Structure formats: structure tokens, C-alpha cells
Amino acid sequence: MALHEQSLTYVRAISPYQPGKPITQLAREMGLSVEQIVKLASNENPLGMSPKARAAVLAGLSDLARYPDQFALQQSLAERTGLGMERVVLGNGSNDVLDLIARVFLAPGRSAVFAQYAFAVYPLATLSAGAEPIAVAARDYGHDLLAMRQAIRPDTRLVWIANPNNPTGTFLPHAQLREFLQGVPADVVVVLDEAYNEYLPPAERVETIAWLAEMPNLVITRTFSKIYGLAGLRIGYALTSGDIADLMNRVRQPFNCNNLALAAACAALDDHEFVAASYALNRAGMEQIVGGLKRLGCTHIPSHGNFVTFRVADAVLVNQKLLKQGVIVRPIAGYGMPDWLRVTIGTETENARFLVALEAAL
Ligand SMILES: *Cc1c(COP(=O)(O)O)cnc(C)c1O
């Protein structure tokens, strides 16, 4: 029997994650120079990384012969959140902690619930643990919490929620979310993925961390990949009960976060100026891009993240025409949204380049 047939059936059923096209790849394909290319495809921070984090990385270069020590970052996050250090689980990107949760709670014969158009990693993590994904029809491109509650079966062990959601940018007001969480059976874990939390305006930002005190089945995940600008270093974390954290640590690779990422994340947490500048740039850029999309007659989904998803008549063609002009956005046909493209908010200049290129492409 062929080796391929010996692999796990549920692994063969997985469709691989499709990342945003790397700049160097487009440069090779189109014969463009790297400098001519604007990448607005992966929700990366257009300001790059915090200068404090950069300094920490350079200082960390002298210590790379040593295995990493997670203590400082765990302690810093524990202080900021008011939780004990044992309730902070670090990951090689928050993607890593999502996978840890799946490995702790999912297996063949179990299922996980998430919304149609929710983050692609949820079906991936569910399928790679051999569990059954239950995708619940979206409502206005966002989570339909009532339908999600009804979709929970006796074999359901996990519910995945992204708030704000990627790729749609939709946001669940915290009162609704809280009511949902209170209605989920106590033996079902809910993952609340807050990768874009820091981009929410203060009025919408509720301390969901306080909910952990009354909801032992809640896992909150956050990342340094977005507003902190450290996507390339791969660092994120989960906040949860001591019990769940302990289980996650049992399947976690002992040294899953590298020295440079740990040092950069510690420094980034303290760079309030950089976070504030990133937030302000995103607000202004969101207005600029949404204004441009309206002017060009493109429908968009109001977004609470650092990206916006908009509809065009022929997304494959428009994407090709953008690529030819050196502008990379994200087609989301893989999410079941073949008529939509997702653009990350860039600098003012990048946003303007995108809008000029889009106008030419339409
Ligand atoms: C970007 C993103 C993440 C973060 O992934 P990392 O592995 O931390 O880079 C997590 N969840 C959602 C919904 C995202 O969009």
C-alpha cells in the first residue's frame, strides 16, 4: 500500500493554509524590485517593530547559545493582567497556543464549533486533531451566537470565537458575548481569540480578562504579531484557568518561544508610544481606505481590525491587476468569499498606492 495511504485520513482531508503572497515571490514573478512592492496582505504593522523591541533583539543576540527562559515575559503578562504566572501560556505565535488547546481537548469522535468566515486556523487546528469541524452559518458576515449555541452537540468540546474576526473585521459587543459564554455548558471550552484587541477604540474595549474569574472554561488568546509588529518573530499567549494552562503546558514543546521573540515581546509591552502611534495610524488609514472604497463604489464590511474586506465584481481579475502593479492584498475565496478581497491598513502612502492601483484595476 502506498505510503500516502498510511497517513491519517483526517490529515489528508486538510486543505493547507494559504498565506499572503511574500514580497520576494511577487518580485520574482513580475520582475519587479522589492522596493516597488506594497504588501497589504497579512495584517502586519506598517510601522514595523517597536524601536524598544528592536533594541532588545539586538541585545539578545549575545545570549543565543542559551535555551530560552520564559520567566520574564510570563511575569510581565501576569503583572499586567493581574493573573498568576501559572495562568499565562506562551506560544510560538498565538497560532501555536490555538494548536495546544486543540491537542488538549480535541480528538476523533469530538467536535468543535466556529462561525462560517471565522479565522482559517480554527478548522485547521480542529482537523489536525482529528475532530469534526462544525461551521455555523454567519449572520451579516459575523458570528451568529444563538445558532452557535444551538450547534453545540454532546461531543462538542471546543468553541472558537475571534473578536474582532479575521477576515471579516466583524465585532461582537461584549454584552452579547458574555451572555453567550454564560450559556455554554461548563464542560465545553471557549477560545476567545483577541488578536486585534489593541485596535479597538477604548469605548469598545472591555476587560474580558476579568471574566476568567467566573468562567473556568474560557481561554483568551492574544498576539504580538499585530499591533506590536512582531509577526516574524512568532510570539503570542493564552490566558486561562490554572487547570487548562497546566494541560496546555503538558503538550507544549519546552522551548517553543525563542530568546529573541521573548526579549522583543517584553520590550514591546512597555513601548506605549509605539502602540499608540500604531493605533492612531490605523484609525487614520481606515478612514482613508474606507473613504477611497466608497468613492470607487466598492461595498465593504465595517471593520474593527487593521484590515478591511471589500467586494469587487471579479476578485481574481482585480487581484491579478493589483499584483501587476506591485500591490499585494489577500483574496479570501478560501474562506468561501470569492467576490471579496481583504486589504491591510498601511501607511498613508501605501494606502494611497493601493487606492490608485485599485481604481486602475476596476
Ligand atoms: C493574525 C491572527 C492571529 C495571530 O496569529 P499569530 O500566530 O500570533 O501570528 C490569531 N488570530 C487571528 C484571528 C488572527 O487574525
Side-chain angles (χ1 to χ4, degrees), residues 93-95 98 119 122 162 166 193 195-196 223 225-226 234-235:
S94 60
N95 204 142
L98 298 176
F119 189 40
Y122 309 152
N166 171 24
D193 177 347
Y196 301 96
T223 182
S225 297
K226 304 288 155 64
R234 313 302 305 128
I235 183 98

Side-chain angles (χ1 to χ4, degrees), residues 32-354:
L32 297 168
S33 74
V34 163
E35 294 72 33
Q36 290 172 283
I37 295 172
V38 171
K39 184 187 176 204
L40 300 173
S42 301
N43 302 346
E44 295 149 341
N45 191 324
L47 292 179
M49 75 198 280
S50 121
K52 286 186 179 162
R54 177 183 298 272
V57 166
L58 293 176
L61 288 175
S62 56
D63 237 2
L64 291 182
R66 304 270 176 219
Y67 279 106
D69 177 1
Q70 301 200 339
F71 184 86
L73 182 57
Q74 266 187 307
Q75 189 184 46
S76 182
L77 289 168
E79 266 170 27
R80 269 153 228 272
T81 56
L83 299 172
M85 268 180 66
E86 75 287 353
R87 300 177 64 180
V88 180
V89 182
L90 303 183
N92 188 34
S94 60
N95 204 142
D96 186 27
V97 296
L98 298 176
D99 218 48
L100 296 179
I101 301 160
R103 283 169 62 200
V104 168
F105 291 103
L106 297 180
R110 299 179 175 212
S111 64
V113 166
F114 51 85
Q116 177 190 21
Y117 312 134
F119 189 40
V121 166
Y122 309 152
L124 271 180
T126 302
L127 286 167
S128 46
E132 184 187 336
I134 303 177
V136 177
R139 192 165 139 194
D140 297 333
Y141 299 100
H143 297 70
D144 182 341
L145 291 179
L146 269 180
M148 287 178 73
R149 174 65 190 85
Q150 283 160 4
I152 295 175
R153 305 189 309 217
D155 70 358
T156 300
R157 298 274 65 89
L158 208 57
V159 177
W160 305 100
I161 292 181
N163 203 40
N165 184 47
N166 171 24
T168 57
T170 51
F171 177 69
L172 293 163
H174 284 90
Q176 259 182 51
L177 188 56
R178 196 181 152 78
E179 197 185 320
F180 170 79
L181 292 172
Q182 285 166 335
V184 170
D187 59 356
V188 174
V189 170
V190 181
V191 177
L192 181 56
D193 177 347
E194 298 188 325
Y196 301 96
N197 174 66
E198 299 85 356
Y199 285 109
L200 292 173
E204 282 177 351
R205 218 178 298 164
V206 164
E207 248 345 308
T208 48
I209 291 169
W211 298 354
L212 290 169
E214 43 176 315
M215 299 174 187
N217 59 336
L218 178 61
V219 185
I220 295 173
T221 65
R222 294 194 180 164
T223 182
F224 289 94
S225 297
K226 304 288 155 64
I227 209 164
Y228 292 106
L230 301 178
L233 278 175
R234 313 302 305 128
I235 183 98
Y237 58 98
L239 306 169
T240 185
S241 66
D243 278 351
I244 294 182
D246 171 51
L247 292 163
M248 290 170 70
N249 280 322
R250 294 178 197 214
V251 294
R252 184 175 62 78
Q253 286 182 40
F255 304 109
N256 61 332
C257 305
N258 71 74
N259 292 355
L260 299 182
L262 290 163
C266 278
L269 275 178
D270 280 330
D271 199 340
H272 305 291
E273 211 177 306
F274 179 79
V275 172
S278 302
Y279 174 86
L281 185 73
N282 188 60
R283 288 272 120 189
M286 183 67 81
E287 265 188 45
Q288 184 187 0
I289 287 196
V290 166
L293 290 173
K294 283 184 180 157
R295 189 169 47 77
L296 296 174
C298 294
T299 303
H300 75 282
I301 305 171
S303 171
H304 293 76
N306 65 342
F307 57 88
V308 59
T309 292
F310 60 98
R311 194 202 286 264
V312 287
D314 186 341
V316 173
L317 184 68
V318 170
N319 185 48
Q320 263 315 311
K321 288 181 170 179
L322 289 173
L323 290 173
K324 284 205 176 110
Q325 299 173 82
V327 175
I328 315 177
V329 299
R330 187 70 151 269
I332 50 172
Y335 279 92
M337 298 177 72
D339 302 329
W340 299 79
L341 295 169
R342 189 195 71 192
V343 62
T344 301
I345 308 303
T347 61
E348 188 181 352
T349 315
E350 289 171 333
N351 300 337
R353 268 249 352 240
F354 158 71

